[in-house]
Amino acid sequence: ARNNANFFTPPDGSQPRMQMFLWNTASPELDGDLDSGIIVHEYGHGISIRLTGGPSNTTCLNNSEQAGEGWSDWFSLMLTMEASDQGADGRGIGTYALNEPTTGPGIRPARYSTDMGVNHYTYGDIGSLTVPHGVGFVFATTLWEMTWGLVDEHGFDPDFYTGTGGNNIALQLVTDGLKLQPCNPGFVDARNAILAADVANNGGANQCIIWEAFAKRGLGFSASQGDANSTTDGVVAFDMPQSCLFLDAQPPSQGICVGDTPTYTITAGIAYTAPVTLSANGQPAGANATFAINPLNGPLPQSTDLTIGNTGGAAAGDYTITITGTDSTPVAKSVDVSLTVYSGVPGAPTL
């Protein structure tokens, strides 16, 4: 056999067996044992199989919408992290075995990255990807988002065993989530188990970080997995729960003629602690930004109008206006809106 690796995982108390093979991607052939990521990946199967459904039940990850290959990829990424890594970096799986540089694409549909330009995959893509590797890849992508959200908040700790960084928190949450999720879990089941683990371990301190990562990849608050044995009946959602909402701006974009006065409705959510002080920048030169109410003293959620005035001298073009809300704790969050300024009334399109 060539170009493979596997890990046979019987119930707890019985001997597992890992098999590593040579890869004929180079001459002489490459030994998969020298790719630490592959070894960790295979051990990851032992973790996910024995923890999901209990140590005596090793048949709980056979459904179509299960993330077994994803958890293994994610463990591989986690245990090869370095302090200089950034979330936007591209991380390939199996690059050594494929005779690629560490920056190579690896064996998955894309490299793992928080940059949507590098890895654009979301929950909505699993129906077009292979089972189980492609499906698991999407869940690992989401876990990688969560990891970097936790690292951004709590820092990175190179001590994988007793450290207290965001990477350590992520490892504990995912491991405990495996214990809490049901047999034959879908993606929403797995997400909910991680959220429950955070409540149990940390009093729910990281709920909004977890939600933000899952929402970015289509597993937001309103997402539904449907039948865990199907990869085509899930409902994608990018929304957050009310408890994690900070700033919202409507409409997200609009166009005006020079001299018009556009208005946006800005809402500060209950994730803030009132009062919330608002600011805006990025409006056209010479224009001013005025909030009808500022600060927002609550009760939250509370809305106000943002008016962009004095646009008579504005240059035509596209503008991104950033609205920032800062509370007393202090938490500062921002949201962008778009404004297109026309020098005259746009003409009718030519058909």
Side-chain angles (χ1 to χ4, degrees):
R2 291 289 188 276
N3 302 346
N4 203 354
N6 55 52
F7 190 50
F8 169 68
T9 307
D12 197 17
S14 300
Q15 269 193 336
R17 182 186 65 199
M18 183 184 296
Q19 295 187 116
M20 302 293 290
F21 300 98
L22 295 175
W23 291 68
N24 61 10
T25 52
S27 182
E29 294 180 322
L30 301 175
D31 188 345
D33 288 300
L34 300 179
D35 191 326
S36 297
I38 294 178
I39 294 176
V40 176
H41 173 102
E42 297 306 332
Y43 273 123
H45 285 303
I47 297 171
S48 62
I49 289 172
R50 282 192 173 172
L51 292 185
T52 302
S56 298
N57 188 349
T58 59
T59 61
C60 281
L61 294 179
N62 294 323
N63 55 305
S64 295
E65 193 182 308
Q66 56 87 11
E69 296 295 336
W71 285 304
S72 285
D73 274 6
W74 182 79
F75 280 121
S76 175
L77 294 169
M78 292 298 293
L79 296 181
T80 55
M81 288 180 79
E82 296 180 345
S84 60
D85 290 348
Q86 299 294 321
D89 296 343
R91 294 284 307 275
I93 297 294
T95 53
Y96 170 78
L98 291 179
N99 196 31
E100 295 176 351
T102 55
T103 55
I107 59 177
R108 299 294 179 245
R111 293 178 295 167
Y112 288 107
S113 174
T114 60
D115 183 344
M116 297 295 284
V118 177
N119 181 338
H120 65 269
Y121 287 87
T122 72
Y123 183 45
D125 293 309
I126 65 171
S128 62
L129 296 173
T130 59
V131 177
H133 293 85
V135 172
F137 154 78
V138 173
F139 198 77
T141 295
T142 308
L143 293 181
W144 198 230
E145 290 281 355
M146 183 194 76
T147 298
W148 282 101
L150 291 167
V151 169
D152 288 344
E153 178 68 20
H154 301 288
F156 173 79
D157 196 325
D159 183 350
F160 295 162
Y161 299 99
T162 61
T164 58
N167 52 314
N168 303 95
I169 294 171
L171 274 168
Q172 193 65 62
L173 289 178
V174 173
T175 302
D176 288 344
L178 294 170
K179 304 170 190 175
L180 295 173
Q181 67 190 10
C183 189
N184 301 316
F187 280 19
V188 172
D189 292 325
R191 178 202 69 189
N192 292 345
I194 291 171
L195 288 162
D198 181 57
V199 172
N201 294 348
N202 310 303
N206 302 296
Q207 295 286 286
C208 293
I209 295 173
I210 298 167
W211 274 117
E212 186 172 4
F214 278 88
K216 179 178 176 180
R217 297 293 176 167
L219 283 160
F221 184 72
S222 300
S224 171
Q225 71 188 25
D227 185 346
N229 287 302
S230 171
T231 61
T232 59
D233 64 348
V235 177
V236 178
F238 299 92
D239 58 334
M240 298 277 283
Q242 285 290 324
S243 59
C244 292
L245 289 181
F246 285 94
L247 273 187
D248 180 63
Q250 297 296 330
S253 63
Q254 56 183 309
I256 64 167
C257 292
V258 169
D260 288 347
T261 304
T263 298
Y264 299 87
T265 299
I266 311 302
T267 303
I270 62 174
Y272 278 119
T273 300
V276 180
T277 301
L278 301 170
S279 62
N281 63 77
Q283 59 269 26
N288 52 51
T290 305
F291 294 95
I293 306 171
N294 195 18
L296 300 176
N297 292 305
L300 302 176
Q302 184 179 3
S303 299
T304 186
D305 286 339
L306 165 63
T307 300
I308 308 298
N310 196 32
T311 66
D318 296 321
Y319 298 88
T320 298
I321 302 172
T322 300
I323 301 101
T324 301
T326 305
D327 69 9
S328 57
T329 55
V331 169
K333 297 290 183 179
S334 298
V335 64
D336 291 340
V337 294
S338 298
L339 177 66
T340 299
V341 178
Y342 300 99
S343 57
V345 177
T350 301
L351 299 179

